[in-house]
Amino acid sequence: MFVSYLILTLLHVQTAVLARPGGESIGCDDYLGSDKVVDKCGVCGGDNTGCQVVSGVFKHALTSLGYHRVVEIPQGATKINITEMYKSNNYLALRSRSGRSIINGNWAIDRPGKYEGGGTMFTYKRPNEISSTAGESFLAEGPTNEILDVYMIHQQPNPGVHYEYVIMGTNAISPQVPPHRRPGDPFNGQLVTEGRSQEEGEEKGRNEEKEDLRGEAPEMFTSESAQTFPVRHPDRFSPRRPDNLVPPAPQLPRRSRDHNWKQLGTTECSTTCGKGSQYPIFRCVHRSTHEEAPESYCDSSMKPTPEEEPCNIFPCPAFWDIGEWSECSKTCGLGMQHRQVLCRQVYANRSLTVQPYRCQHLEKPETTSTCQLKICSEWQIRTDWTSCSVPCGVGQRTRDVKCVSNIGDVVDDEECNMKLRPNDIENCDMGPCAKSWFLTEWSERCSAECGAGVRTRSVVCMTNHVSSLPLEGCGNNRPAEATPCDNGPCTGKVEWFAGSWSQCSIECGSGTQQREVICVRKNADTFEVLDPSECSFLEKPPSQQSCHLKPCGAKWFSTEWSMCSKSCQGGFRVREVRCLSDDMTLSNLCDPQLKPEERESCNPQDCVPEVDENCKDKYYNCNVVVQARLCVYNYYKTACCASCTRVANRQTGFLGSR
C-alpha cells in the first residue's frame, strides 16, 4: 500500500513539473501560482523588515607586516561588499573558520575572479590600471552558511577598508535555506542551524570579543541597526564544532503513512555556463495537503539519494584573462611595463585559452602602460656663462652645471643621464682683434732755427687692449713721423744745417742715433747747399750721438683722431690714449697732468645745405664706393656725386677744425 502511494505521489510531482509550461508562475516556495519572492535577507516571502544592514570602516593603523583580521562575516550574511577605500600595495584575504583559505591564503596572491566559499560565490576584483585609484574588493550575494573572516595582508599604511553586509534581525523569521545549501539553491524548508543557535552564536561572539579585544580594535562605524563583530588575530580562531554535530533532535512523533518524501524541484545549477551540476531536492510533505513537515515525520530509510545531474552544458562566453603587470622598465623616470592578456573560455570546469577573435565582443585591456617609480635626478644650470676669456679673437667661457635630485640636493653626476649633460665650457669668438697706430705728441722744437725744418713724433702699431696674440700690423696707412716747420726766413747766413736725429738704436737704455749735417746759405725763400769748407769757421754739430731714451720709463701714446661726429654745427671726435713703457707695454708711470686729451670739439661752423640738382647718386650702393675710397676717380665721383660730395665736405670740415 505504501509503495502504491509513493508511486502516486511521484506521478503527481511529475504531472506538476510537466504542467509548469502552462503559464502559471512558480514562486520562491516552488509552488505553482505562488507570487512569493526572496527579500534581501534571503527570506522567501519576506518584506525586508527583519533585515539589518551592517557596515563600517576598518581604519586601524597597523605596524607589523602580515595578515591582520579586518572583520567577521557571520553565517547567513547576504549582499556582502568588502572594498578598500583606495588602491594600495596591501591585499585582502578571505578564510573560513574551519581554516580553509578561500582567497589569497598562505602568502599566495590569487588572480581576480570568482571563488566559492562559505556556501556562496565571491567575486574578487583588483583594479590594476595605472590610472585607476580603486582598491580591491570582495562581492557576494550570499547567504553564507558559515562564519568567514576577512584579513588584510599589510605591507603599507592602511588606506581603510569599507565593509557591508545584510543579516536577519533578531525578530525576523529564519530564512528558508535548506541545510548545507549549495550556491544558488532555492529557499525551501526550514533552516537547521549548524552547530549552534543564533542566540548561542551571538553570546559566544560577545565572550570571544571580550577575550580578544586588547585595546587595539579597529574603528568600526555602523548604522543604527548594525552590530559589530569581534576582531581576532589572524593566527587565533575560535573553536568550532564539527559540521556533523547537530543539537539533539526533539522527541520524534510517531511515523505514519500520512507523510512521504516528495521531490520539490532541483537545486540551482552550480554554474551559469560551462557545464555545471544540480541535484533534486526531496522534502517530507503531507500526502494530501502536500505541506512540508519535519523530516522526522517521514521514514529516513526511504528518502531517495540525490543524484548529480548535468546542467548549463554550453560553453561560457569568452573573456580576457589579465595577468599581472611586469616590473617597470626603468628605476626612475618614465618607463614601460607589460602584462599578458589572453582570451579564455570556461567549459566543463576547465579554463581554456582560445583564439582572440572569440573575445572581439569585449574591449581588449591594454598590454602596455607607462610607469614611473620615482622622478630621476636632473641636470641644472646653476650660473650664467662667464665673460669670454679674451676681449677679442677666440677664447672660452664656462658655467656651473650640477646633478640635482628631485628634492633639490646636489648629487654625484652618475645619478643623472650623462648623455643629456649640458656643456659647462664652450668656445667664444669676440671678433677680430682691432689694431691701431699709437702716436706721441709732436716735438716742441723745430729742427732748424730759421727756414724750413721738421718736427717729429713716435709711431707704433699695437692692439687696443692687452693681449698675448701676435700683431698682424695696422695696414699701410702709417701716420707720418715728421712734419715740416719754419722758424722764419734766413738772411743769407751761412751755417751748418742739421737734420733730425734718427731713432735711437734701442728703445730704452743707452744707444746711438744719427743725423745729416750740411753747410747751407739761407736766403729769404730758399737755401743753398755749400761745400762743408764754407762752414769750417763754424763749429760743426755732431752727426752721431748717444741716446738714452728712458731708463726705461713711460710716456703717453694716442691714436689718430676719429671722424667728427657731425659735419657742422659742432660735433666731437675721440682718440684712445695709452701710457706705454719703453718695451711698449702698458704702464702707469706717465704723468697724469701731461695726458693728451681723448676728446675734442670739431666742425663748429653752421650747416649750409647746398643742393645741386645735377649732383645725385645714380646707384643705390654708393656707400660702398665711399667706404672703398673710390671717390678720387672721376667715374665714381660722377656716378655717386651726392655721396662723394658729402664725404669731401666732411673731410674739409675735419681738416679745418684741426
Side-chain angles (χ1 to χ4, degrees), residues 95-102 106 146-147 237 240:
R95 185 177 183 180
S96 70
R97 282 293 173 86
S98 63
R100 183 174 76 89
S101 293
I102 300 171
N106 301 318
E146 62 176 322
I147 298 174
F237 297 96
R240 189 173 183 273

Side-chain angles (χ1 to χ4, degrees), residues 554-566:
K555 61 181 176 180
W556 292 108
F557 282 75
S558 64
T559 64
E560 290 185 321
W561 288 107
S562 68
M563 294 289 291
C564 191
S565 63
K566 296 175 67 176

Side-chain angles (χ1 to χ4, degrees), residues 494-497 516-521 528-541:
V494 176
E495 63 179 13
W496 290 106
F497 176 79
E516 187 175 4
V517 179
I518 58 176
C519 180
V520 298
R521 177 185 290 117
E528 179 184 0
V529 178
L530 302 176
D531 187 87
S533 61
E534 297 289 333
C535 296
S536 59
F537 65 95
L538 297 173
E539 183 181 359
K540 185 178 181 180

Side-chain angles (χ1 to χ4, degrees), residues 228-505:
T228 60
F229 295 93
V231 177
R232 311 176 197 280
H233 191 276
D235 296 332
R236 297 181 57 197
F237 297 96
S238 60
R240 189 173 183 273
R241 298 178 183 177
D243 292 342
N244 58 352
L245 293 183
V246 296
Q251 179 102 26
L252 298 178
R254 178 181 172 186
R255 296 187 182 91
S256 69
R257 297 177 180 271
D258 295 334
H259 296 82
N260 199 3
W261 298 103
K262 176 183 177 183
Q263 179 181 350
L264 297 180
T266 58
T267 63
E268 288 188 10
C269 192
S270 59
T271 61
T272 58
C273 59
K275 190 179 181 181
S277 59
Q278 61 185 11
Y279 297 86
I281 300 175
F282 297 100
R283 295 284 185 264
C284 182
V285 299
H286 194 277
R287 289 180 181 273
S288 57
T289 64
H290 301 290
E291 292 182 356
E292 292 190 36
E295 291 193 357
S296 58
Y297 281 58
C298 292
D299 187 352
S300 60
S301 63
M302 298 297 294
K303 183 176 181 179
T305 301
E307 294 184 0
E308 180 180 0
E309 301 174 0
C311 57
N312 294 342
I313 61 174
F314 51 89
C316 292
F319 64 95
W320 292 112
D321 187 15
I322 305 173
E324 294 292 329
W325 286 110
S326 65
E327 292 185 358
C328 195
S329 61
K330 294 186 178 179
T331 57
C332 71
L334 196 63
M336 296 294 295
Q337 58 183 174
H338 308 271
R339 65 181 176 184
Q340 189 178 45
V341 177
L342 300 175
C343 183
R344 299 178 69 85
Q345 200 166 11
V346 175
Y347 181 70
N349 296 324
R350 294 176 59 194
S351 180
L352 306 174
T353 301
V354 296
Q355 294 296 324
Y357 74 86
R358 297 201 180 181
C359 294
Q360 62 186 3
H361 61 289
L362 301 172
E363 182 179 358
K364 185 176 181 179
E366 296 293 335
T367 57
T368 60
S369 177
T370 57
C371 55
Q372 181 168 294
L373 299 179
K374 67 175 183 178
I375 300 174
C376 291
S377 300
E378 62 180 2
W379 295 108
Q380 281 190 6
I381 299 173
R382 291 299 184 91
T383 62
D384 293 331
W385 287 109
T386 60
S387 299
C388 197
S389 59
V390 295
C392 65
V394 178
Q396 288 186 326
R397 62 179 185 171
T398 60
R399 63 182 176 182
D400 192 20
V401 176
K402 298 293 185 184
C403 180
V404 180
S405 69
N406 61 331
I407 60 175
D409 295 335
V410 176
V411 295
D412 293 338
D413 286 0
E414 288 73 17
E415 293 196 22
C416 289
N417 188 343
M418 296 300 293
K419 295 181 179 179
L420 302 179
R421 190 180 194 276
N423 291 333
D424 59 355
I425 184 170
E426 70 175 11
N427 292 337
C428 48
D429 189 348
M430 301 300 290
C433 293
K435 311 289 191 306
S436 300
W437 292 109
F438 280 74
L439 317 168
T440 63
E441 294 292 333
W442 292 107
S443 60
E444 294 183 1
R445 294 181 61 182
C446 188
S447 62
E449 293 181 359
C450 65
V454 292
R455 288 192 299 165
T456 61
R457 64 181 176 182
S458 297
V459 178
V460 64
C461 174
M462 64 176 295
T463 58
N464 57 6
H465 66 88
V466 178
S467 172
S468 61
L469 296 177
L471 294 178
E472 298 176 357
C474 298
N476 298 323
N477 298 324
R478 179 184 179 91
E481 296 180 88
T483 186
C485 58
D486 192 343
N487 286 331
C490 297
T491 59
K493 182 180 178 181
V494 176
E495 63 179 13
W496 290 106
F497 176 79
S500 60
W501 289 105
S502 66
Q503 290 187 356
C504 193
S505 59

Side-chain angles (χ1 to χ4, degrees), residues 27-30 34 36-39 41-47 173-176 187-188:
C28 59
D29 54 3
D30 259 13
S34 171
K36 291 184 178 181
V37 294
V38 178
D39 67 1
C41 295
V43 178
C44 183
D47 57 1
I173 61 174
S174 300
Q176 299 176 4
F187 298 95
N188 287 318

